[in-house]
Amino acid sequence: MGTAYVVDQNGNSHELAFKSGGTLMELLHEHDMVRAECGGMKICATCHVFVDSEWYQTIGAADENECEMLDGTGDYKAGRSRLSCQIELSDELDGIKFELAPEL
C-alpha cells in the first residue's frame, strides 16, 4: 500500500491510497480526477500531471513519444511533466507528490 498526494486544478489537496501494480492514471481515473480519454495509450494527454521535482528522478524521464505528446499540450514543464498513464505504481512511490495539469 502507498499514498499519493495530489493537488487538483482548483488547488485542493488529496491523499489517495494505492496498491502496487496499476498506473497513476488508473488511480486518478477511479477518483474522477482525470478524463484519461485514450485509456493509457499515450495519444491524448488528458492524464497530464506535474510531478514534484523530488520525485521526478524516481519515476524517470518520459520517452520520446511521451515528450512529443506533452509538448503539444501547451503546459509542458521540463523536469516535471509526465503522462500519469506511464507511471507504474509501486511501493517505491509511496508518498509521491504531484499536481494535475490544466484540463485540455
Side-chain angles (χ1 to χ4, degrees), residues 1 5 11 13 22 32 41 56 64 71 75 84 88 91 94 102:
M1 278 301 263
Y5 298 92
S13 297
D32 295 321
M41 301 300 294
Y56 195 80
E64 186 177 329
D71 192 40
D75 293 305
S84 61
E88 295 285 330
D91 292 340
D94 182 28

Side-chain angles (χ1 to χ4, degrees), residues 34-93:
V34 295
R35 291 193 325 262
E37 291 178 357
C38 73
M41 301 300 294
K42 280 196 287 192
I43 58 172
C44 74
T46 58
C47 68
H48 182 192
V49 296
F50 303 123
V51 178
D52 278 13
S53 57
E54 65 191 63
W55 285 96
Y56 195 80
Q57 282 191 311
T58 303
I59 62 167
D63 66 23
E64 186 177 329
N65 292 334
E66 184 179 349
C67 285
E68 285 180 30
M69 181 59 56
L70 290 166
D71 192 40
T73 66
D75 293 305
Y76 177 76
K77 293 183 182 182
R80 295 204 52 214
S81 284
R82 288 296 309 269
L83 296 177
S84 61
C85 64
Q86 300 303 300
I87 300 172
E88 295 285 330
L89 294 173
S90 67
D91 292 340
E92 183 181 25
L93 296 185

